[in-house]
Amino acid sequence: MNQAPPTPKNGRGRHDREIIALAVPAFGALVAEPLFVMVDSAVVGHLGTPQLAGLGIAAALLMTAVSIFVFLAYATTAAVARRVGAGDLPAAIRQGMDGIWLALLLGAAVVAAAMPTAPWLVDVFGASDTAAPYAVTYLRISVLGIPAMLVVLAATGVLRGLQDTRTPLYVAIGGFTANAILNVTLVYGAGLGIAGSAWGTVIAQAAMAAAYLIVVVRGARKHGASLRPDAAGIRASARAGVPLLIRTLSLRAVLMIATAVAARLGDVDIAAHQIILSLWSLTAFALDAIAIAGQAIIGRYLGADDEKGAREACRRMVEWGIGCGIVLGVLIVLTRPLFIPLFTSDPSVKDALLPALLVVAVSQPIAGVVFVLDGVLMGAGDGRYLAWAMLVTLAVFAPVALLVPVLGGGLTALWWAMTLMMAVRLITLWVRARSGRWVVTGATR
């Protein structure tokens, strides 16, 4: 990054237009995804507390399963974008089909594993005797939608690699709308209860996968790309995804440790922590949208053998990350009096929230750069480094976080530990970005 000449104003404007064109629709699609769970919760919540508790447990298991395989989107985006940059659209789509076939295989494996073990999984999560039957019912039905959801992840990666984030937005909006209508119709109209909610979600997910497949198949036929499964290509997609899987699991471990520590601090702190974590996740969607743009843009530049363009785009996206982080931090501070009452009326929870929120606000510019560089290195196909960097981050964060309750620290101390985690990520990613070792040009890395 530091070796590239300054980006000219017209080049900066070009990068800005590309970032906005890709990031804004990506943000909309990212926000639409968690709305599925919110709709299910709103509909099932009127059936009763045990049903809602059962949904909460099953949804947590399903979201964990899907999030583990998010590498299907990330790895596919980078690989397809490189081929696009190299001007080989048939190979780009063929690469994307390998990712989609891998998604189907993984989805089938998850269904085969989850169906017989559903009661055990629910029990591990500590479901009560009244909530457990509803959790098992919802989980066994909803897990049938996992293959469709994994196809959605892989196909989203294909379209992002093709520099198209609008289609995923439209599909997400359509899926959300269908899910809402089906949930109300099947739960209340057909009287299926929580099973109706699960079936509504499965049908909506299948429709989303079908919509993506129609778009990808049309592209394949237009450019003469084969749709048949290719064992070598599927294995290559799996190998590219393993480092990103390690990165994702390490990040999930960080969040689980943070929640476990907050729980040890007491009911007030865990309640406040969950509110902050929800807000933190929302800001992450905004920053992740820029990272998604980075994956697509960097992959395309490197595929086109444009090292200078890749470095300039990286630099400009870092500036965007810093700017967005500052804006988000200021918004958190200014809007605290407005959104805190929406989550809690408990004075003790509010007291725990306020100082911790200031820590989150201060850390947003750091998070902005972290998300951007994460996206840049993913777009470059530098997954192995990302895996090692996240393992180092986990190794630093875990003992610091676990010491918080031992040393008598509270929620604010825990979120300072979270800020340390982001700072370690920043250092590891920044060192890699400045080294230039991520800049590997060509249709494949």
Side-chain angles (χ1 to χ4, degrees), residues 16 19-20 23-24 27 282-291 316-332 360-369 371-372:
D16 288 346
I19 293 168
I20 292 171
V24 172
F27 175 70
L282 180 61
T283 62
F285 284 137
L287 298 174
D288 203 26
I290 305 173
R316 187 56 180 155
M317 280 183 283
V318 167
E319 293 171 356
W320 269 79
I322 295 171
C324 289
I326 292 172
V327 170
L328 288 171
V330 171
L331 285 175
I332 289 172
V360 174
V362 169
S363 69
Q364 287 306 297
I366 298 175
V369 179
F371 274 81
V372 165

Side-chain angles (χ1 to χ4, degrees), residues 28-106:
L30 288 169
V31 171
E33 291 174 12
L35 291 178
F36 269 72
V37 178
M38 290 181 64
V39 167
D40 288 8
S41 299
V43 173
V44 171
H46 292 284
L47 294 175
T49 299
Q51 289 91 331
L52 184 58
L55 170 66
I57 293 167
L61 286 164
L62 291 164
M63 292 295 289
T64 299
V66 173
S67 66
I68 286 174
F69 297 110
V70 74
F71 70 85
L72 289 167
Y74 294 157
T76 306
T77 297
V80 172
R82 276 185 177 269
R83 298 285 189 178
V84 169
D88 192 348
L89 283 177
I93 296 173
R94 174 66 260 176
Q95 190 99 44
M97 285 304 305
D98 292 335
I100 290 173
W101 281 112
L102 176 61
L104 285 170
L105 291 174
L106 292 173

Side-chain angles (χ1 to χ4, degrees), residues 32 35-36 39 171-181 204 208:
L35 291 178
F36 269 72
V39 167
V171 174
I173 292 173
F176 167 72
T177 303
N179 182 57
I181 294 171
M208 290 172 68

